[in-house]
Amino acid sequence: MKKFINNPEDVVEEMLEGMAAAHSDELRRLPGWNVLVRKDAPLPGKVGLVSGGGSGHEPAHAGYIGENMLDAAVAGEVFTSPAPDQIFEAIKAVDSGSGVLLIVKNFSGDVMNFDMAAEMAAAEGIETAQVVVKDDIAVERKEDRRGTAGTVLVHKIVGTALEEGLNLQEAVELAHHVTSRLGSMGISLSPSTVPASGKPGFTLADDEMELGTGIHGEPGMERKKIQPADAVAEELLDNVTAELDVKNGDDVIVLVNGQGSTPLMELYIVYRKAAQLLFERNISIHKSMVGEYMSSLEMAGCSLTLLKLDDTLKKYVT
Amino acid sequence: MKKFINNPEDVVEEMLEGMAAAHSDELRRLPGWNVLVRKDAPLPGKVGLVSGGGSGHEPAHAGYIGENMLDAAVAGEVFTSPAPDQIFEAIKAVDSGSGVLLIVKNFSGDVMNFDMAAEMAAAEGIETAQVVVKDDIAVERKEDRRGTAGTVLVHKIVGTALEEGLNLQEAVELAHHVTSRLGSMGISLSPSTVPASGKPGFTLADDEMELGTGIHGEPGMERKKIQPADAVAEELLDNVTAELDVKNGDDVIVLVNGQGSTPLMELYIVYRKAAQLLFERNISIHKSMVGEYMSSLEMAGCSLTLLKLDDTLKKYVT
Amino acid sequence: MELTLNVMKRWLVTADEKMQNHKEYLSELDQAIGDGDHGHNMARGFQAAVENVKENTEEDIGSLIKAAAMTLISKVGGASGPLYGTAFLKASDEWKGKDSLSQDEFTKGLEAAVEGIKTRGKAESGGKTMLDVWTPVLEYIQHHDIAASDLSAKAKESMQQTENMKAEKGRASYYGEESISHTDPGAYSSYLLFEALAEALDKEEA
Amino acid sequence: MELTLNVMKRWLVTADEKMQNHKEYLSELDQAIGDGDHGHNMARGFQAAVENVKENTEEDIGSLIKAAAMTLISKVGGASGPLYGTAFLKASDEWKGKDSLSQDEFTKGLEAAVEGIKTRGKAESGGKTMLDVWTPVLEYIQHHDIAASDLSAKAKESMQQTENMKAEKGRASYYGEESISHTDPGAYSSYLLFEALAEALDKEEA
Ligand SMILES: Nc1ncnc2c1ncn2[C@@H]1O[C@H](COP(=O)(O)OP(=O)(O)O)[C@@H](O)[C@H]1O
Ligand SMILES: Nc1ncnc2c1ncn2[C@@H]1O[C@H](COP(=O)(O)OP(=O)(O)O)[C@@H](O)[C@H]1O
Ligand SMILES: [Mg+2]
Ligand SMILES: [Mg+2]
Ligand SMILES: [Mg+2]
Ligand SMILES: [Mg+2]
């Protein structure tokens, strides 16, 4: 394990200190908590937007704090969901009295910890609602689907809408509307190593790739011989479009996400083929995002996310 | 070599196609050339700003096309500087009659190719000037210093100033002023692999790091046992501050750049210590940048850049 | 027999020792069908809970266990944090104000704990989780004298049986059929917890 | 002897063959003290230049070599592109309008080429670059009958001598003392170029 760290147990604390120092014009840390908050939160009259999860997915989630996005992000240990008291602090810090929406990636730990935080908030009279993102279509059963890079689009769209004054109930409906039209699939070439364990999360042969991995390297649908980028792009795209029933005449947002050590060059090569295929199929790309939006430490791989737009959603795409 | 590519010989072409498709609202590709141009260039009355170099450093340089930055970026083969005719096309595409400033990283190949392009432009009556960035203080002789991540700050500051109407001569002076106050040093943990060669650019033992590497993995000053992040940050910072004579009361921009596969988490841990030390030494951080600004494919490592500000430069820091 | 405040304290302390000693092993189990952090999560959580116990001057079992619950909730993280935390919290409710528990009272707490895990985890036993240790252990205690019983053998046997189950909940469920032939990490840590209880009781007897 | 348009064409074609055959080896040399692309750069450039020659209907040596120069400039990239390109371009100026060259005329072109490399690269011989082949080869041709001479032995010997030099220019200079005991890749490709010239002349004789 070759990493720029000090003590493996301190990585999250030190990262948060670094983030708070680097971006003090935009966010602040809640003293003693692993919570970063938009500097001007709570905004009077605005529903608060909170997300979070295990660390190691940077820039998620603290990188999405700001106007038209999150009011707070809660950071757990690396790949481990944050505890309820941390989340509760975030809720208190951003609640203006209009309630707080929690965006949660669908992992048992995250869901349970956010549930408990919501109960704590309720006990103190703060209204919250929770929307669970399940965009990873590699998992068959819909209720078991993991939350992955598509979560960023929920942050952005709901965040933009909240800035325009939606109330909590409307925000929940919008968030559900987004998640119902959102799908992602990942593909990995090599694992990442959690500092505390010091060992790679999985192993793949030199000529193998794994289709459908989650953002912590959870198993996918299939291991196979490594394919050219064009075939990879086509397989990801076909799976996601089939799942979302994206067809001729539709409008989409395309997000090609890097998992950590895959160069931007390769992400653009994957994007290129996806864009070509969409064009051929007369599906128009409303907006493109190519980069590391939801990383997995230094995992090599990428994922492709589509959001199928309609007029409601287009209003909030900036 | 595990990469999302098709044919190794096509990576630059396909990346450029991907970039042009993904960002068609901001830039366009010159048909038949490896040149991306700001969509609204040439801007009447504005001096054009062009940079470029070998590919593999994404988002450099095409990612820096836009308002307050570059008018065009020229992409060579991976880690190989672009040919003069490519650069010449970029110059022609952005010249509004007010001349074009070329920002070049100091590598023999880049300098010679940009020189030839400038001669071609002169032969057609287009005025150009060239500023060579030599921010890599790991190289002893000043004239041999390589151009690295600090180049991005030259783009940003000179780009902002040009938007305000500086003429070519003034822009050259400003660019020299920036480069005279700019220093960087890198440190690497593992190499990258150029697709065409298929072999890692260098080798390091499992417990070794190399101090002072260039952005293509060029040799640094010293190989040593891997150190904790705090020691790494301190060593980079001490070297750069000593070189630039940054002291008590000064104002700086700090850029912690990721070389490719180093997670953002680690960059923030390095940044944290650098910021602490600057604070202790009463040097104030005017602006912080933490991320992959000038990558080296999937090399693991980071670099630290300081720009020592004065009133002239502060005017152009956005 | 009576479970005194002292036994309960010793339970926590012994459990912590076991979590520390099995930290790497638990994480290894989790590496195979999860994300490899279970040992680290449990070790972090119990260490903090026990530090708390040592400083704790509370004189009743309810408060002791509630304090432990709150610490587990805030320090373990992941899926196991809310589950162990909820279990202890629900039990502490039953033990409020008591400085010693009859077997019956103890069992009531355990029943509440199991209920808590099921509700929090939206899970039933048979799904290759910690419940596959908690449920059989609870049933066993409901029918045997806890002092004279072989509690830790029961816990161990239940833990071992998770090896043949297919995971239905949590990260391990992504492994589907592949999860079979691996022991569930949460079942293992629960076995350690009940082994610690048996040892704490043993010491008391002696 | 006379160097005809045909010899010059054969020179380029033979050089291309050699660059293709030694592509990996040149890149390996460059991997040791550079960035490992020299073979790929040269192979890409000469292939394009020769495709161009084949299509070329120009009937004078100046135009032929100028076309090759322009292709090298635009296809090689890196440091070697402008250097080889400039060398050929400067020589083509001397050979303008000629459909055959005397040894004297050929030498004049080579002199201009070496001058071009020095100016473009801001370099002198002795710095472990391609100049350490071009300069001694030029001197040799200035004093020997090119047809009867052992041009390729001279080029080879000069190339080999770069092994003991310390690099002063280009990427290899970053290696400082460590560059010693490696052959310079640009010197090797220049040796291949002059070996190709010798072979093209040989064929003509035969
Ligand atoms: N929904 C659930 N119900 C009951 N137990 C669960 C559930 N989800 C996970 N577990 C238990 O938690 C254990 C994993 O805990 P841990 O590794 O600490 O958390 P995470 O899975 O978030 O990394 C599993 O082995 C299993 O016993
Ligand atoms: N300034 C210079 N003057 C003369 N030759 C040079 C100079 N810089 C580099 N070279 C030659 O170029 C060769 C490297 O070419 P190449 O690998 O294609 O380009 P790059 O160094 O840009 O990757 C070196 O081996 C050396 O012979
Ligand atoms: Mg976990
Ligand atoms: Mg090169
Ligand atoms: Mg786990
Ligand atoms: Mg080279």
Side-chain angles (χ1 to χ4, degrees):
Chain A
M1 180 178 66
K2 290 182 109 169
K3 289 183 186 287
F4 294 124
I5 61 172
N6 297 298
N7 190 330
E9 278 161 33
D10 299 333
V11 293
V12 173
E13 170 62 27
E14 292 180 356
M15 171 186 77
L16 291 171
E17 288 174 15
M19 286 177 161
H23 307 297
S24 57
D25 45 341
E26 283 150 25
L27 46 80
R28 64 194 160 89
R29 181 162 179 196
L30 297 186
W33 299 98
N34 291 351
V35 177
L36 294 171
V37 173
R38 182 170 159 177
K39 207 170 177 186
D40 51 0
L43 280 91
K46 181 180 165 298
V47 171
L49 189 61
V50 171
S51 192
S55 293
H57 305 299
E58 292 67 33
H61 295 87
Y64 301 113
I65 293 173
E67 205 186 323
N68 291 322
M69 290 192 285
L70 302 180
D71 294 293
V74 192
E77 290 301 311
V78 179
F79 288 6
T80 299
S81 83
D85 49 349
Q86 302 277 351
I87 302 165
F88 180 43
E89 290 302 317
I91 293 171
K92 285 190 288 184
V94 306
D95 179 44
S96 67
S98 308
V100 176
L101 180 61
L102 311 173
I103 307 289
V104 185
K105 299 193 298 309
N106 192 32
F107 293 98
S108 325
D110 290 84
V111 172
M112 290 190 270
N113 283 296
F114 275 85
D115 273 344
M116 292 185 81
E119 292 161 18
M120 291 161 113
E124 296 221 358
I126 302 178
E127 201 188 354
T128 67
Q130 211 179 124
V131 172
V132 181
V133 184
K134 309 176 183 178
D135 60 321
D136 186 356
I137 64 160
V139 178
E140 229 179 276
R141 271 197 308 195
K142 281 203 176 177
E143 68 271 27
D144 290 347
R145 289 184 175 169
R146 300 171 287 231
T148 64
T151 310
V152 174
L153 293 172
V154 184
H155 298 163
K156 284 187 184 267
I157 289 176
V158 177
T160 305
L162 285 178
E163 216 82 38
E164 295 182 10
L166 259 57
N167 67 29
L168 184 56
Q169 190 44 43
E170 292 163 342
V172 169
E173 278 159 28
L174 177 65
H176 280 140
H177 189 60
V178 177
T179 55
S180 72
R181 306 171 74 90
L182 187 66
S184 302
M185 187 176 275
I187 188 158
S188 300
L189 299 178
S190 68
S192 61
T193 297
V194 172
S197 106
K199 279 166 254 154
F202 57 89
T203 44
L204 273 173
D206 272 356
D207 60 348
E208 262 184 344
M209 60 183 194
E210 179 154 348
L211 183 69
T213 42
I215 58 170
H216 312 92
E218 290 92 347
M221 311 174 337
E222 195 187 351
R223 287 191 171 196
K224 44 168 133 182
K225 289 260 173 280
I226 192 165
Q227 304 285 314
D230 283 359
V232 166
E234 186 160 2
E235 177 144 29
L236 295 178
L237 188 78
D238 284 351
N239 279 307
V240 181
T241 50
E243 178 67 34
L244 297 180
D245 192 26
V246 173
K247 48 186 189 304
N248 196 317
D250 281 340
D251 260 9
V252 294
I253 294 182
V254 181
L255 190 170
V256 174
N257 177 58
Q259 292 178 343
S261 61
T262 290
L264 212 39
M265 168 179 275
E266 297 174 34
L267 300 182
Y268 277 109
I269 292 174
V270 169
Y271 171 86
R272 164 189 168 274
K273 183 66 184 181
Q276 279 177 0
L277 292 169
L278 289 168
F279 180 80
E280 284 167 17
R281 297 171 192 177
N282 194 32
I283 296 157
S284 75
I285 301 179
H286 193 83
K287 184 186 167 84
S288 301
M289 297 159 77
V290 182
E292 271 173 36
Y293 288 90
M294 175 80 71
S295 67
S296 304
L297 295 173
E298 72 284 3
M299 203 150 94
C302 69
S303 63
L304 182 122
T305 298
L306 294 183
L307 174 64
K308 189 172 150 183
L309 295 172
D310 60 7
D311 290 341
T312 312
L313 295 183
K314 276 185 206 167
K315 266 202 308 191
Y316 301 118
V317 176
T318 45
Chain B
M1 180 178 65
K2 289 183 109 170
K3 289 181 186 289
F4 293 123
I5 61 172
N6 297 298
N7 190 329
E9 277 161 32
D10 299 333
V11 292
V12 173
E13 171 61 27
E14 292 180 356
M15 170 185 77
L16 291 172
E17 288 175 14
M19 285 177 162
H23 307 296
S24 57
D25 45 341
E26 281 151 26
L27 46 81
R28 63 194 160 88
R29 180 162 179 197
L30 297 186
W33 299 98
N34 292 351
V35 177
L36 293 171
V37 174
R38 181 170 160 177
K39 206 167 177 191
D40 52 359
L43 280 91
K46 181 178 163 301
V47 170
L49 190 61
V50 172
S51 192
S55 293
H57 305 299
E58 292 67 32
H61 294 86
Y64 301 113
I65 293 173
E67 205 186 323
N68 291 323
M69 290 192 284
L70 302 179
D71 293 292
V74 192
E77 290 301 312
V78 179
F79 288 5
T80 299
S81 82
D85 48 349
Q86 302 277 352
I87 303 166
F88 179 43
E89 290 301 317
I91 293 170
K92 284 191 289 185
V94 306
D95 180 44
S96 67
S98 308
V100 177
L101 179 60
L102 311 172
I103 307 288
V104 186
K105 298 193 299 309
N106 192 32
F107 293 99
S108 322
D110 289 83
V111 172
M112 289 190 271
N113 284 297
F114 275 86
D115 273 345
M116 291 184 82
E119 291 162 15
M120 290 161 110
E124 295 221 357
I126 302 178
E127 201 188 352
T128 66
Q130 212 180 124
V131 172
V132 181
V133 184
K134 310 176 183 176
D135 60 321
D136 186 357
I137 64 160
V139 178
E140 227 179 279
R141 271 196 309 194
K142 281 203 173 176
E143 68 271 26
D144 290 346
R145 289 184 175 169
R146 302 170 287 230
T148 64
T151 311
V152 174
L153 293 172
V154 185
H155 298 161
K156 286 190 182 263
I157 290 177
V158 178
T160 305
L162 285 177
E163 217 82 37
E164 295 183 10
L166 258 58
N167 68 29
L168 184 56
Q169 190 45 43
E170 291 161 343
V172 169
E173 277 159 30
L174 177 65
H176 281 140
H177 188 60
V178 177
T179 56
S180 72
R181 306 171 74 89
L182 187 66
S184 302
M185 187 176 275
I187 187 156
S188 299
L189 298 178
S190 69
S192 61
T193 298
V194 172
S197 107
K199 280 166 253 155
F202 56 90
T203 45
L204 273 174
D206 273 356
D207 60 348
E208 261 184 343
M209 60 183 194
E210 179 154 348
L211 182 70
T213 42
I215 57 171
H216 311 91
E218 291 92 347
M221 312 173 339
E222 195 186 350
R223 287 192 170 195
K224 44 168 133 181
K225 288 260 174 278
I226 193 166
Q227 304 286 316
D230 283 358
V232 166
E234 185 160 2
E235 177 144 29
L236 295 178
L237 188 77
D238 285 349
N239 279 307
V240 180
T241 48
E243 178 68 34
L244 297 181
D245 193 26
V246 174
K247 49 185 188 304
N248 196 317
D250 281 341
D251 261 8
V252 295
I253 294 181
V254 180
L255 190 170
V256 174
N257 176 58
Q259 292 178 343
S261 61
T262 290
L264 211 38
M265 169 179 277
E266 297 175 35
L267 301 182
Y268 278 109
I269 292 175
V270 169
Y271 171 83
R272 165 190 167 273
K273 182 65 184 182
Q276 278 176 0
L277 292 169
L278 288 168
F279 180 79
E280 283 166 18
R281 295 171 193 175
N282 194 32
I283 296 157
S284 74
I285 301 179
H286 193 83
K287 185 187 168 82
S288 301
M289 298 160 76
V290 181
E292 270 174 36
Y293 288 89
M294 175 80 70
S295 67
S296 303
L297 295 173
E298 71 285 3
M299 204 151 94
C302 70
S303 62
L304 181 124
T305 298
L306 294 183
L307 173 63
K308 188 172 151 181
L309 295 172
D310 61 7
D311 290 340
T312 312
L313 295 182
K314 277 185 204 167
K315 266 202 309 192
Y316 302 118
V317 177
T318 45
Chain C
M1 79 145 303
E2 293 287 303
L3 290 99
T4 61
L5 182 66
N6 248 347
V7 173
M8 298 302 269
K9 282 192 180 173
R10 193 165 319 117
W11 181 18
L12 295 175
V13 170
T14 312
D16 174 39
E17 283 165 16
K18 289 186 186 288
M19 299 305 166
Q20 304 307 328
N21 291 339
H22 293 77
K23 173 164 127 177
E24 299 301 331
Y25 182 66
L26 288 170
S27 282
E28 259 169 53
L29 288 178
D30 194 33
Q31 185 90 343
I33 54 169
D35 59 353
D37 60 357
H38 187 59
H40 292 83
N41 295 346
M42 295 303 290
R44 185 173 55 238
F46 271 86
Q47 179 168 12
V50 163
E51 271 163 26
N52 217 329
V53 164
K54 284 180 184 152
E55 288 162 15
N56 201 313
T57 54
E58 311 276 3
E59 282 306 310
D60 84 89
I61 294 177
S63 316
L64 173 80
I65 298 299
K66 184 169 180 185
M70 297 314 289
T71 312
L72 291 176
I73 288 170
S74 81
K75 294 294 174 198
V76 178
S80 47
L83 292 168
Y84 277 106
T86 302
F88 277 77
L89 197 60
K90 294 291 178 193
S92 77
D93 241 16
E94 300 293 323
W95 300 336
K96 212 180 281 177
K98 308 244 157 77
D99 47 19
S100 137
L101 305 171
S102 68
Q103 166 139 4
D104 226 47
E105 288 168 326
F106 181 75
T107 307
K108 276 226 156 58
L110 221 57
E111 282 163 1
V114 170
E115 226 25 70
I117 296 177
K118 287 184 176 171
T119 314
R120 179 64 65 210
K122 301 189 178 68
E124 287 299 325
S125 53
K128 196 182 183 106
T129 69
M130 57 175 72
L131 273 176
D132 292 309
V133 170
W134 284 78
T135 313
V137 163
L138 170 60
E139 266 172 38
Y140 185 81
I141 289 179
Q142 282 166 335
H143 300 106
H144 295 79
D145 176 357
I146 182 171
S149 78
D150 206 348
L151 180 60
S152 84
K154 184 67 202 170
K156 186 170 188 176
E157 176 199 313
S158 312
M159 172 276 286
Q160 283 165 339
Q161 278 165 6
T162 65
E163 202 182 312
N164 300 316
M165 297 178 176
K166 190 179 137 196
E168 300 287 347
K169 286 282 163 185
R171 282 172 194 292
S173 68
Y174 308 130
Y175 287 80
E177 298 289 332
E178 273 180 65
S179 67
I180 299 173
S181 86
H182 294 278
T183 302
D184 177 61
Y188 202 99
S189 59
S190 296
Y191 148 60
L192 293 176
L193 182 70
F194 290 113
E195 195 182 49
L197 174 61
E199 289 176 17
L201 283 164
D202 256 17
K203 269 238 181 91
E204 190 69 352
E205 314 271 288
Chain D
M1 78 145 306
E2 293 287 302
L3 290 100
T4 62
L5 182 65
N6 249 346
V7 174
M8 297 302 270
K9 282 191 179 174
R10 192 165 316 117
W11 180 19
L12 295 176
V13 170
T14 313
D16 174 39
E17 283 165 16
K18 288 183 187 291
M19 298 306 166
Q20 304 307 328
N21 291 339
H22 293 79
K23 176 165 124 175
E24 299 300 333
Y25 182 66
L26 288 170
S27 282
E28 259 169 53
L29 289 178
D30 194 33
Q31 185 90 342
I33 53 170
D35 59 353
D37 60 356
H38 188 59
H40 292 84
N41 295 346
M42 295 303 289
R44 184 173 56 236
F46 270 85
Q47 180 169 12
V50 163
E51 270 163 26
N52 216 329
V53 164
K54 283 178 185 154
E55 289 162 13
N56 201 314
T57 54
E58 310 276 3
E59 281 309 308
D60 85 271
I61 293 177
S63 316
L64 172 80
I65 298 300
K66 184 170 180 183
M70 296 315 288
T71 311
L72 292 177
I73 288 170
S74 80
K75 293 294 174 198
V76 178
S80 46
L83 292 167
Y84 277 106
T86 302
F88 276 77
L89 198 61
K90 294 292 176 188
S92 78
D93 240 18
E94 299 293 324
W95 300 336
K96 208 180 281 178
K98 307 242 158 80
D99 47 19
S100 136
L101 304 170
S102 68
Q103 165 139 4
D104 226 46
E105 287 168 327
F106 180 77
T107 308
K108 275 227 155 58
L110 222 57
E111 282 163 3
V114 170
E115 226 24 70
I117 296 177
K118 287 184 176 172
T119 314
R120 178 63 65 208
K122 301 190 179 67
E124 288 299 326
S125 52
K128 194 180 184 112
T129 69
M130 57 176 73
L131 273 175
D132 293 308
V133 170
W134 284 77
T135 313
V137 163
L138 170 61
E139 264 171 39
Y140 185 81
I141 291 179
Q142 282 167 334
H143 301 106
H144 296 78
D145 178 355
I146 182 171
S149 77
D150 206 349
L151 179 59
S152 84
K154 182 69 203 170
K156 185 169 189 176
E157 175 199 315
S158 313
M159 172 274 286
Q160 284 165 338
Q161 278 164 6
T162 65
E163 204 183 309
N164 301 315
M165 296 178 176
K166 189 178 138 196
E168 300 287 346
K169 286 281 162 187
R171 282 172 193 292
S173 68
Y174 308 130
Y175 287 80
E177 298 289 332
E178 273 181 65
S179 67
I180 298 173
S181 85
H182 294 278
T183 302
D184 177 62
Y188 201 98
S189 59
S190 297
Y191 147 61
L192 294 176
L193 182 70
F194 289 114
E195 193 182 51
L197 174 61
E199 288 176 18
L201 282 164
D202 255 17
K203 268 238 180 96
E204 188 71 351
E205 315 271 285

